[in-house]
Amino acid sequence: MDLVSVNLTVEEAEILIVCNESSIDQAFLLFGSFFLLFLIVGMIVMQAGIISAKNVSYMLFENMTKVLVASVTFFIVGYAFAFGDSSFFLGASNFFLVEEDRCRYGFFFLQSLVTVFATVIWSGATASRMSMKGFIISTVVFAGFIYPVSVHWLWHEEGWLNKGDRNGRFDDRGGVGVHLVSGACALAGVYVIGPRRFRFRQGMLVDIKPHSLPLVLLGGFFAFIGLMALNTVANRDTFVDTTGGEGRAIVNAVAGTFIAATGGGLTVPVMRFFQTRRVRLQDIVYGLLVGCVAISGDAQDSELWAALLIGCIAGALQHFASRFVRNRQLDDACDVVSIHLVGALWGLIAHPLLKQDTGIVYSWSSEAFGDLGWHIAGGLSLCAWSFLLSWLMFVVIKKKKILRVEYDAEAAGLDGFFHGEYAYVSLESRNTKAKPANSIL
């Protein structure tokens, strides 16, 4: 539009430019948020492919229920605790979004999807053994309190992690906090709930192979696409500025995430080959995901060579962490701890090390080392908060004897026991004598 031809004043032209920029911001925010749906669906499909075929319907039902419960819980109280005005620790206003500007509804939509994603992550760790009452209650507590409080610390202007960083915001526009909090919850969950039946016999690991590698690959690739979107739009509500800085940051975040993911995707199967002289398809998927996780806090600030290095190191750490968890007889069904918790912890360290121009690699200064110390302290604080609260939550549910499904249900398969239907018709014909549950709850 030619501003002169319509006789606009300078003030009117400035207002028009601001309105146009705001409209573009909202459109980009919603567009990126829609891609997060691919992330959520990808995680659900990947988890369904990893577990046993006899539990697929139950797993899909569990995750879809979590999507709905987490969304409603975040709308009622979670958003208020995360972004409401109050103190350095916790928000306490804007419940039900009654005071929220409608122009911020797009931001709420984004944060709701991120909350759902964080909730779906840790369900993969406790797959095939958590009861319906258990996962519904734990979802309400996690999406309504544990996760929103950590978000308030990280991204609210009054949050203590946000205000206390001398060299910029902690995890600025990154998603490391999402993976860190969810990964710590997953660790607490597998510790309290215990391993699946027959996972360990006489102290020896019994390998439970994925029932559908095509689902693992398809879901993992959808998750990979969604994680690139998450690293682009996470905690961001401004995408347009007059200097072009936001555009450069977005492009750098996408490219950095892609390169880090490829580095992780190559490293994990290579590590497996040196250990067993074999490679697995799911190792490539795990490598892609852990690379995206590790770069999520530094995607817009890293040079591409640094992104590749971050991804490769993340892949190696995932391989060793997965072995460590299994050796401790912790049954993490979908390697959530090694991918999300370990990958996020490495990402927090990598950010102050390799951040372009100001990282320790570039600037051997007290400010750079102070930034590293602050990220380590913040990461440990988030881990402690999420692990301890999640551990307490799972222990209380376990004391009520509603955390885990019955032995008969787990042995026979949760699909037939609770739903009376199977994901695959062939299983239904084999399990016609499965005893139905008296109550799905």
Side-chain angles (χ1 to χ4, degrees):
M1 177 185 296
D2 187 353
L3 299 182
V4 177
S5 63
V6 293
N7 298 320
L8 292 179
T9 64
V10 175
E11 291 77 9
E12 291 172 336
E14 290 177 349
I15 293 174
L16 179 61
I17 292 173
V18 171
C19 290
N20 286 336
E21 289 180 354
S22 177
S23 298
I24 296 173
D25 288 338
Q26 292 294 323
F28 198 99
L29 180 67
L30 291 175
F31 183 73
S33 299
F34 291 145
F35 271 93
L36 296 190
L37 295 172
F38 281 95
L39 174 57
I40 296 169
V41 171
M43 293 298 295
I44 293 174
V45 172
M46 184 185 72
Q47 292 173 7
I50 290 173
I51 64 172
S52 299
K54 63 183 180 180
N55 299 322
V56 172
S57 290
Y58 186 88
M59 187 69 183
L60 295 174
F61 180 88
E62 174 184 345
N63 275 324
M64 286 307 301
T65 303
K66 282 191 170 189
V67 169
L68 303 176
V69 172
S71 299
V72 173
T73 303
F74 188 74
F75 166 68
I76 296 173
V77 297
Y79 188 83
F81 288 154
F83 298 102
D85 295 329
S86 183
S87 66
F88 70 96
F89 182 81
L90 177 69
S93 65
N94 211 1
F95 296 95
F96 291 91
L97 273 72
V98 292
E99 303 171 5
E100 189 64 273
D101 186 345
R102 292 193 177 187
C103 292
R104 297 273 294 173
Y105 281 6
F107 182 73
F108 160 73
F109 177 57
L110 167 67
Q111 295 300 329
S112 295
L113 293 179
V114 175
T115 303
V116 168
F117 167 61
T119 308
V120 169
I121 287 175
W122 59 261
S123 67
T126 58
S128 303
R129 54 204 189 274
M130 184 174 286
S131 71
M132 292 189 184
K133 282 184 180 179
F135 72 68
I136 290 174
I137 295 172
S138 57
T139 297
V140 171
V141 176
F142 182 83
F145 185 70
I146 296 176
Y147 176 74
V149 170
S150 64
V151 170
H152 188 83
W153 296 358
L154 279 167
W155 297 323
H156 192 277
E157 60 184 10
E158 296 297 327
W160 69 271
L161 275 177
N162 188 7
K163 294 184 67 175
D165 191 349
R166 297 175 300 173
N167 299 319
R169 297 174 63 180
F170 181 94
D171 191 23
D172 183 21
R173 295 177 178 176
V176 166
V178 179
H179 303 282
L180 193 67
V181 173
S182 192
C185 178
L187 180 60
V190 297
Y191 181 79
V192 174
I193 198 171
R196 287 167 286 180
R197 306 292 182 186
F198 315 120
R199 178 59 165 161
F200 298 97
R201 291 181 179 175
Q202 299 179 346
M204 299 297 293
L205 175 70
V206 177
D207 191 20
I208 301 178
K209 298 183 182 300
H211 89 274
S212 175
L213 287 175
L215 286 182
V216 175
L217 178 60
L218 181 64
F221 202 79
F222 276 167
F224 168 49
I225 296 172
L227 283 170
M228 285 199 293
L230 177 63
N231 290 354
T232 304
V233 301
N235 196 39
R236 181 193 296 271
D237 53 8
T238 301
F239 300 90
V240 178
D241 62 7
T242 56
T243 64
E246 295 292 344
R248 288 192 295 272
I250 291 170
V251 172
N252 203 70
V254 173
T257 302
F258 178 75
I259 293 299
T262 56
L266 289 173
T267 302
V268 176
V270 168
M271 300 292 293
R272 170 77 61 177
F273 178 78
F274 282 125
Q275 178 191 358
T276 65
R277 296 300 170 182
R278 293 182 178 180
V279 293
R280 303 185 308 175
L281 176 63
Q282 69 192 89
D283 289 330
I284 297 178
V285 176
Y286 290 169
L288 286 173
L289 298 184
V290 76
C292 291
V293 171
I295 196 64
S296 59
D298 198 29
Q300 68 179 13
D301 296 322
S302 294
E303 295 188 69
L304 294 185
W305 69 264
L308 179 62
L309 178 63
I310 291 172
C312 291
I313 294 177
L317 291 175
Q318 190 278 326
H319 174 77
F320 290 119
S322 180
R323 292 181 59 189
F324 178 83
V325 170
R326 291 195 302 271
N327 290 339
R328 295 299 178 273
Q329 296 194 9
L330 296 175
D331 184 13
D332 184 356
C334 298
D335 277 290
V336 174
V337 173
S338 62
I339 293 173
H340 296 276
L341 179 59
V342 174
L345 286 173
W346 160 237
L348 283 179
I349 297 174
H351 182 270
L353 284 176
L354 298 170
K355 184 177 181 181
Q356 188 173 0
D357 298 332
T358 60
I360 292 177
V361 172
Y362 297 89
S363 174
W364 196 266
S365 63
S366 59
E367 289 78 9
F369 282 97
D371 191 26
L372 174 62
W374 181 248
H375 275 73
I376 293 175
L380 293 178
S381 299
L382 288 172
C383 279
W385 165 261
S386 180
F387 179 83
L388 293 176
L389 267 290
S390 299
W391 177 84
L392 179 62
M393 170 184 70
F394 288 125
V395 166
V396 171
I397 298 174
K398 187 176 183 179
K399 291 291 185 180
K400 299 296 182 180
K401 299 181 179 181
I402 55 175
L403 179 63
R404 187 162 181 154
V405 298
E406 302 173 14
Y407 175 84
D408 292 342
E410 190 173 345
L414 304 182
D415 289 1
F417 199 88
F418 288 105
H419 301 294
E421 60 181 4
Y422 294 84
Y424 305 101
V425 178
S426 58
L427 286 178
E428 188 168 358
S429 62
R430 298 177 195 170
N431 295 275
T432 54
K433 297 182 180 181
K435 178 184 177 181
N438 295 327
S439 170
I440 63 172
L441 297 177

